[in-house]
């Protein structure tokens, strides 16, 4: 089996700060995703990538950038953290599109 | 566009009672429906998936049947266990088969002794 590792697990930032979240997968999956999880709102897609150096915007891409420089890694940047923002960012990967595997998440708090 | 509706945000049950979590969806295309389960401080994990109309799918004591006529994919279990306490998401894949998922808002299931 494989694993998706997200770093850091907890991230505290200041308003206006640029923050980067990292994700590594050893499944050798082609497609990777970043989802945002808010309490009571389900998971919403921010960015996804179907192969190395590919980037596709999801429904929630405004305020974020992403980078897929290697097949195994996918990073997400919050371009300007919003005060009092609290959310969990979940990285995921998929080999075929019919099963998606998730990491445990990075919990972001902006003070 | 695609949408998924989970009507219950919070369900509290006594151990041993049956579980039913509702999921309805809207899509213009034939696709996969999923149930994901997320225990506290863990990653969401796939529980069930289906794309076949009127076929019961089972895993780990849970089951669901996709009914395209009513656009439903309700999750059921005959007897709740304390370890079933978790956040459950119903999700729909998009028609491009890239694994992009549309999620419902989730249902928190709490099972009490």
């Amino acid at each position: 089996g494989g694993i998706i590792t997200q770093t850091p697990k907890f991230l505290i930032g200041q308003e206006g700060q640029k923050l980067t979240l990292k994700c590594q997968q050893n499944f050798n999956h082609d497609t990777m995703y970043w989802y945002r999880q808010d309490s009571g709102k389900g998971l919403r897609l921010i960015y996804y990538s179907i192969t190395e150096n590919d980037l596709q915007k999801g429904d929630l891409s405004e305020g974020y950038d992403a980078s897929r420089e290697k097949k195994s890694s996918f990073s997400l940047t919050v371009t300007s953290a919003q005060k009092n923002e609290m959310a969990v960012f979940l990285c995921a990967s998929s080999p075929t599109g019919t099963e998606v595997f998730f990491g445990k998440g990075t919990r972001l708090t902006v003070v | 566009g695609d949408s998924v509706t989970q009507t219950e945000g919070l369900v509290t049950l006594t151990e041993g009672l049956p579980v039913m979590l509702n999921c309805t969806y809207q899509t213009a295309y034939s696709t996969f429906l999923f149930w994901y389960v997320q225990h506290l401080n863990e990653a969401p994990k796939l529980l069930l998936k289906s794309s076949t109309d009127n076929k019961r799918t089972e895993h780990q004591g849970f089951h669901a049947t996709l009914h395209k006529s009513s656009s439903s994919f309700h999750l059921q279990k005959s007897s709740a266990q304390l370890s079933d306490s978790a956040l459950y998401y119903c999700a729909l894949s998009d028609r491009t088969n890239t694994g992009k998922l549309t999620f419902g808002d989730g249902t928190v299931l709490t099972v009490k002794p």
Side-chain angles (χ1 to χ4, degrees):
Chain A
I3 191 169
I4 294 176
T5 303
Q6 294 188 236
T7 55
K9 290 183 180 178
F10 299 94
L11 183 56
I12 300 175
Q14 295 191 330
E15 185 180 13
Q17 192 175 3
K18 179 185 285 190
L19 303 167
T20 298
L21 292 67
K22 295 187 181 296
C23 175
Q24 294 269 347
Q25 55 99 357
N26 63 2
F27 288 104
N28 199 34
H29 291 164
D30 287 322
T31 309
M32 295 186 73
Y33 317 82
W34 277 105
Y35 283 90
R36 175 176 165 134
Q37 182 178 33
D38 292 277
S39 178
K41 287 187 179 179
L43 278 63
R44 292 177 288 174
L45 184 64
I46 304 171
Y47 267 97
Y48 70 104
S49 167
I50 61 175
T51 190
E52 187 177 323
N53 292 319
D54 174 72
L55 290 176
Q56 308 280 344
K57 291 183 177 181
D59 295 333
L60 207 64
S61 62
E62 187 171 340
Y64 302 96
D65 287 328
S67 174
R68 181 95 181 271
E69 294 174 350
K70 293 191 301 184
K71 186 176 182 178
S72 62
S73 66
F74 194 29
S75 63
L76 181 72
T77 298
V78 179
T79 56
S80 179
Q82 301 298 304
K83 188 172 176 64
N84 297 324
E85 181 175 6
M86 284 182 63
V88 177
F89 292 85
L90 293 169
C91 178
S93 69
S94 176
T96 62
T98 58
E99 184 163 359
V100 177
F101 296 82
F102 285 87
K104 290 187 176 185
T106 292
R107 187 175 297 274
L108 171 67
T109 302
V110 181
V111 297
Chain B
D2 295 347
S3 67
V4 176
T5 301
Q6 293 180 248
T7 51
E8 310 102 347
L10 181 64
V11 172
T12 303
L13 290 173
T14 301
E15 187 179 18
L17 291 180
V19 178
M20 181 162 173
L21 306 184
N22 291 316
C23 173
T24 57
Y25 64 92
Q26 285 190 315
T27 181
Y29 305 98
S30 181
T31 185
F32 275 87
L33 269 292
F34 304 84
W35 277 100
Y36 278 83
V37 57
Q38 185 180 25
H39 288 92
L40 192 61
N41 297 323
E42 294 295 321
K45 292 181 181 176
L46 180 65
L47 183 58
L48 294 171
K49 68 178 181 183
S50 180
S51 63
T52 306
D53 197 13
N54 297 319
K55 181 180 177 182
R56 175 172 162 141
T57 302
E58 299 190 39
H59 187 58
Q60 296 183 337
F62 287 90
H63 63 92
T65 302
L66 177 59
H67 292 295
K68 293 186 179 182
S69 60
S70 58
S71 299
S72 67
F73 191 55
H74 305 319
L75 182 67
Q76 299 182 67
K77 188 177 185 184
S78 59
S79 175
Q81 298 177 294
L82 297 177
S83 58
D84 294 331
S85 295
L87 175 57
Y88 291 81
Y89 286 110
C90 185
L92 174 71
S93 64
D94 83 332
R95 63 188 179 96
T96 63
N97 201 34
T98 56
K100 288 170 57 183
L101 298 174
T102 298
F103 285 84
D105 289 344
T107 298
V108 175
L109 175 64
T110 302
V111 181
K112 296 185 174 181

